[in-house]
Amino acid sequence: MEGYLMPALLLALHILQLFNHINPCTATGKTNTQYIKRSCSVTIYPRLCYHSLSIYAGKIKTDPKILAHTALNVTLAATQESSVIMRRLSEIHGLKPIETAAVLDCMEEIGDAIDELQQSLDELGHVVRGSNFWFQMSDIQTWVSAALTDEDTCMDGFEEHHLRGRVEAVVRRYTVNVAHLTSNALALINSYASSKAALP
Ligand SMILES: *[C@@H]1O[C@H](CO)[C@@H](O)[C@H](O)[C@H]1NC(C)=O
């Protein structure tokens, strides 16, 4: 019996050591994802926020600026993707001219949103502490709000003409997702601005 005990004990010790090696990493990983979860709780769409950002936890760590930057990056990428989808939709043969026009109108709004998000990202990359900080953050907030407004007006053409159906449904799905991501990014930008304000 005792002959089996030693190897078993050694194996148990070995496993414990393995856990000791693994633990610090998972603990930090957990802190990072918890930070994202906590930060996302101030947004209007916390689940979307968490799902879109948690894969970048290792890069974001607990840095509110990188968090805001990543949220803007994710938003811009989704907005660009929507624009591609809308262009393809507008090229479908057999759409009613009024449907094509509504898709193209929406695509134009999305194009404006892309410019504004791009501008915000450029500026966020140049934000520095000091007297300019508030001007820069205020510009960024203005541009991201403008992007949100553009996205919100995207469906106007469809609503005005009571257009329903598959094209409208696809445009709506993409537009809503992009608007929710933008709203979340704006909330995280506001959090970053106020976290800086809390600094001495
Ligand atoms: C944002 O995207 C750019 C270009 O795609 C990349 O270089 C940058 O590292 C990203 N920043 C963050 C914080 O994710």
Side-chain angles (χ1 to χ4, degrees), residues 27-94:
T28 329
K30 212 171 167 191
T31 309
N32 294 343
T33 52
Q34 271 169 356
Y35 171 72
I36 294 177
K37 194 161 260 175
R38 198 153 26 86
S39 307
C40 282
S41 70
V42 305
T43 66
I44 302 180
Y45 311 99
R47 281 183 46 190
L48 174 68
C49 176
Y50 182 74
H51 283 134
S52 61
L53 294 172
S54 56
I55 47 167
Y56 304 104
K59 193 171 167 192
I60 294 166
K61 299 197 170 69
T62 56
D63 187 320
K65 185 179 181 182
I66 301 178
L67 178 67
H69 202 145
T70 308
L72 262 184
N73 261 3
V74 166
T75 305
L76 178 64
T79 313
Q80 284 166 333
E81 192 198 331
S82 303
S83 174
V84 171
I85 298 288
M86 285 177 202
R87 174 167 301 284
R88 286 197 199 129
L89 280 175
S90 74
E91 288 163 356
I92 295 177
H93 294 291

Side-chain angles (χ1 to χ4, degrees), residues 167-188:
V167 171
E168 182 261 357
V170 173
V171 173
R172 184 180 298 278
R173 182 154 52 81
Y174 277 91
T175 304
V176 164
N177 183 54
V178 161
H180 288 187
L181 286 171
T182 307
S183 154
N184 284 348
L186 184 56
L188 296 176

Side-chain angles (χ1 to χ4, degrees), residues 19-199:
F19 270 106
N20 268 338
H21 275 292
I22 292 164
N23 255 341
C25 290
T26 40
T28 329
K30 212 171 167 191
T31 309
N32 294 343
T33 52
Q34 271 169 356
Y35 171 72
I36 294 177
K37 194 161 260 175
R38 198 153 26 86
S39 307
C40 282
S41 70
V42 305
T43 66
I44 302 180
Y45 311 99
R47 281 183 46 190
L48 174 68
C49 176
Y50 182 74
H51 283 134
S52 61
L53 294 172
S54 56
I55 47 167
Y56 304 104
K59 193 171 167 192
I60 294 166
K61 299 197 170 69
T62 56
D63 187 320
K65 185 179 181 182
I66 301 178
L67 178 67
H69 202 145
T70 308
L72 262 184
N73 261 3
V74 166
T75 305
L76 178 64
T79 313
Q80 284 166 333
E81 192 198 331
S82 303
S83 174
V84 171
I85 298 288
M86 285 177 202
R87 174 167 301 284
R88 286 197 199 129
L89 280 175
S90 74
E91 288 163 356
I92 295 177
H93 294 291
L95 290 192
K96 292 181 211 132
I98 201 150
E99 257 179 334
T100 308
V103 176
L104 289 175
D105 280 351
C106 187
M107 213 179 96
E108 200 178 312
E109 300 289 344
I110 292 290
D112 290 345
I114 288 172
D115 291 344
E116 285 142 359
L117 291 169
Q118 188 68 68
Q119 223 169 348
S120 312
L121 267 169
D122 292 347
E123 189 73 8
L124 193 59
H126 294 111
V127 161
V128 284
R129 287 180 75 173
S131 55
N132 253 342
F133 179 76
W134 289 109
F135 291 109
Q136 291 179 303
M137 287 315 291
S138 145
D139 279 346
I140 293 168
Q141 285 160 331
T142 305
W143 290 325
V144 179
S145 302
L148 190 55
T149 306
D150 288 333
E151 292 151 11
D152 281 343
T153 53
C154 216
M155 298 306 295
D156 284 3
F158 290 94
E159 271 146 28
E160 205 179 308
H161 299 104
H162 309 288
L163 296 173
R164 291 267 164 204
R166 272 160 62 189
V167 171
E168 182 261 357
V170 173
V171 173
R172 184 180 298 278
R173 182 154 52 81
Y174 277 91
T175 304
V176 164
N177 183 54
V178 161
H180 288 187
L181 286 171
T182 307
S183 154
N184 284 348
L186 184 56
L188 296 176
I189 287 162
N190 294 341
S191 292
Y192 165 58
S194 50
S195 78
K196 272 272 186 166
L199 290 174

